[in-house]
Amino acid sequence: FKKKTLEAARGSKVDDDDDRPTDRPTPHPALIMPSYDYDLLVIGGGSGGIACAKRSASHGAKVLCVERDRLGGTCVNVGCVPKKVMWSAAHIADVLRHDMKHYGFG
C-alpha cells in the first residue's frame, strides 16, 4: 500500500526494496546552481570592497566582487565625490558672479 501511494502521489516508479522514488523529477533549470571556483568573494563594490578585490587579485587570488548597484558605492556615486563636484561648481559660479567685473566682464 505504501509503495502504491508514493507512486500515485509523486507519479514516479518505486524500487521494490526501498520506499524512495527511483526517478526524481528534474529541477527547473533556473534552480540549478552552477559551480564556481574563487578564492575570495567580496560582497559590496564600494571603496572598501573594490580595494579588497584589487589587492587580493594583485596577489594572485581569483576574486568575485558582487554589487547590486553601481560600483563605487555611496561615496563615489551619490555622496562625497558628487557633493565636492557640486560645491566646486557652485564656488566657481559664485566667484564669476561677484568678481567678473574685475576681469572686464559685464
Side-chain angles (χ1 to χ4, degrees):
F1 176 76
K2 192 175 196 181
K3 290 180 186 177
K4 289 182 181 178
T5 305
L6 275 174
E7 286 178 20
R10 294 190 182 216
S12 59
K13 298 174 186 166
V14 178
D15 195 10
D16 289 337
D17 299 335
D18 197 354
D19 286 341
R20 292 177 291 178
T22 56
D23 59 327
R24 295 176 189 256
T26 306
H28 189 274
L31 299 176
I32 299 173
M33 294 295 293
S35 63
Y36 297 100
D37 184 26
Y38 292 100
D39 299 315
L40 177 66
L41 170 65
V42 178
I43 300 174
S47 301
I50 294 293
C52 176
K54 285 177 70 174
R55 175 69 65 104
S56 300
S58 73
H59 289 285
K62 260 178 93 174
V63 180
L64 174 65
C65 183
V66 180
E67 172 60 53
R68 70 178 165 161
D69 202 9
R70 296 180 292 173
L71 288 177
T74 301
C75 186
V76 172
N77 293 309
V78 295
C80 311
V81 175
K83 179 208 59 130
K84 289 176 185 173
V85 170
M86 293 294 288
W87 185 88
S88 180
H91 177 70
I92 291 170
D94 188 54
V95 167
L96 288 175
R97 183 177 36 227
H98 291 96
D99 296 337
M100 60 190 246
K101 289 181 184 177
H102 300 294
Y103 293 104
F105 296 103

